[in-house]
Amino acid sequence: MQSNNNRRPWRFAIGGWGAFVVAAILFLIFDYDLYLMLGLLTAAIILTIGNAIYVLYKKRKSRAGEK
């Protein structure tokens, strides 16, 4: 499990954006609610920022461990 996390550190952000796209398409088809789509977009952006912070932290931690 740990090696899979090292190979694909952006999988949570990609999953969040994929979920946003699927949910946005479904809401456009069945029930158009602008505020719900904006909320989903905000959640995807927050997930991406959090994942970027995590990836940068792990890179910095691995560099410190190598020295």
Side-chain angles (χ1 to χ4, degrees):
M1 183 70 182
Q2 186 69 3
S3 64
N4 188 21
N5 195 16
N6 290 336
R7 286 187 290 162
R8 298 184 183 123
W10 292 100
R11 70 174 187 252
F12 294 119
I14 293 170
W17 283 103
F20 165 71
V21 169
V22 170
I25 290 171
L26 290 175
F27 279 117
L28 283 172
I29 292 171
F30 295 113
D31 181 33
Y32 182 74
D33 187 9
L34 179 65
Y35 294 113
L36 187 57
M37 281 195 277
L38 288 175
L40 291 171
L41 177 63
T42 303
I45 291 171
I46 290 171
L47 183 66
T48 303
I49 292 170
N51 197 19
I53 292 170
Y54 171 75
V55 168
L56 294 173
Y57 170 75
K58 289 297 275 185
K59 280 187 179 182
R60 181 176 289 174
K61 189 175 178 182
S62 69
R63 280 189 203 159
E66 290 176 359
K67 292 181 180 180

